[in-house]
Structures are given as C-alpha cells and as structure tokens.
Amino acid sequence: GKFAGIAFWLVLMARAIFPALLAPNGQDKNLLALLTSSVVCIGLFYGTGLFYGERTHISVMEYWRWWVVHLWVEGFFEVFATTALAFIFSTLGLVSYRMATAASLASASLFMLGGVPGTFHHLYFSGTTTPVMAVGASFSALEVVPLVVLGHEAWEHWSLQHKATWMKNLKWPLMCFVAVAFWNMLGAGVFG
C-alpha cells in the first residue's frame, strides 16, 4: 500500500550499504555511517507524509506538505547530496577520506543546528519580522557551504587529470558532480 515505496527504498539501500558497514576491513566507516543515516532519514521523513488521507482536513495536509517539502530542501537534501558526493569523491581519490568526512559532518551539523531556522525565510507571507527572516536566510545560505567546499576540492584534484589516465575516462560524470556543487551554491546559496 502506502508504505511499499518507502520499504522498497530502505531495503534497496540496506542491501548495498550494510555489507560494507559490517565488513571487517579496519577502515574508518564514519562517512559510510553518515550516508546510511541520511538514506534512512529520507525514507522515514517521506513516510510522515503518508499519514494523512483523503478525509484529512486540508490544513493538516498542507502543514505536513510544507514541512516535508521545505525540510527536504532546507536540510535533508544538503546532507544527502554532500554525503553521497563525498563518498563518491573519496572513493575516486578526488578528495581525502578525512576531507569527505569533515564536509559531511559539517553539513549534518548545519542541518541539526539550522534546519528549522533555515525555513524562516519562507515566513514572509505571514508577517514575520525582518530579523527573523534574516536568521532564516543566513542559515539557509550556510547549508550549501560544505557541498561547495567539497566540489571545489574535487575540482582542484580533477584539474590534475593529466597525472591519472582513469580520470579522463570519467570526465563527464565528474563534471556533473562538480556542476551539482556549483549550481547548488548558485541556486540555494546565492538566489535562495
């Protein structure tokens, strides 16, 4: 029924992630744990939007829709995108594992600190004061910083592509990932 899609998402991700988490290879698994938690949170987060039905009052539905859409955009997406790209970049050797983990932890920390205040810049239509909207705009703009730093680091390493032949084969996927960081910074950080 309603929860089949979320259950499928979680099972699909679990099949890929849990064997890597449980492997006794002695490697630091903080980045993988962050990726796992962000994937699980996405499924659980969208699950809350399924608790209303066709007979639920529209004010309740709109309340949950607003929170699902805005907390996804303001927080979960940033954590997931930063962690997923950090994992890919560190696996490809474009950034150090330490840098990838630090960027992911910074993104998660910014979300935990400013996820809800980051939505305050949307409250202009309800007569919110300018200082409250400024707090919201500041937190919202800060949420893209870890992904931009990670993208910049990957771009610098990619510019050394002539030293590794495998990087030439991955030119367009890597350019896509770097473009994600750039357009995220421009769209969410600059234009809000």
Side-chain angles (χ1 to χ4, degrees), residues 31 34 78-79 82-83 86 97-110 145-147 149-151:
L31 185 59
L34 280 168
E78 296 299 333
V79 175
T82 302
T83 307
Y97 199 79
R98 185 181 183 105
M99 168 66 177
T101 303
S104 298
L105 284 172
S107 181
S109 298
L110 280 170
V145 170
L147 184 57
V149 170
L150 190 66

Side-chain angles (χ1 to χ4, degrees), residues 31-184:
L31 185 59
L32 188 57
L34 280 168
L35 179 62
T36 304
S37 62
S38 69
V39 167
V40 169
C41 285
I42 288 170
L44 294 175
F45 182 67
Y46 274 112
T48 62
L50 299 174
F51 284 106
Y52 55 80
E54 61 187 46
R55 305 232 186 271
T56 305
H57 194 273
I58 193 161
S59 61
V60 173
M61 288 190 299
E62 284 298 305
Y63 175 79
W64 282 109
R65 183 199 59 80
W66 192 86
W67 278 107
V68 166
V69 168
H70 287 88
L71 283 181
W72 163 254
V73 171
E74 302 293 337
F76 279 109
F77 174 75
E78 296 299 333
V79 175
F80 175 73
T82 302
T83 307
L85 288 180
F87 190 76
I88 291 168
F89 287 163
S90 67
T91 301
L92 293 175
L94 290 173
V95 297
S96 68
Y97 199 79
R98 185 181 183 105
M99 168 66 177
T101 303
S104 298
L105 284 172
S107 181
S109 298
L110 280 170
F111 170 64
M112 297 301 282
L113 177 69
V116 173
T119 63
F120 289 170
H121 68 279
H122 292 286
L123 300 179
Y124 63 91
F125 57 86
S126 62
T128 302
T129 61
T130 302
V132 172
M133 287 191 303
V135 167
S138 299
F139 276 112
S140 183
L142 281 175
E143 288 169 354
V144 301
V145 170
L147 184 57
V148 170
V149 170
L150 190 66
H152 181 267
E153 183 79 11
W155 173 259
E156 283 188 355
H157 280 84
W158 183 78
S159 64
L160 303 173
Q161 67 177 323
H162 301 292
K163 295 186 179 190
T165 57
W166 63 268
M167 290 179 100
K168 291 178 185 175
N169 297 333
L170 296 174
K171 176 183 179 182
W172 292 113
L174 293 175
M175 292 299 289
C176 176
F177 294 142
V178 170
V180 165
F182 172 77
W183 288 110
N184 190 0

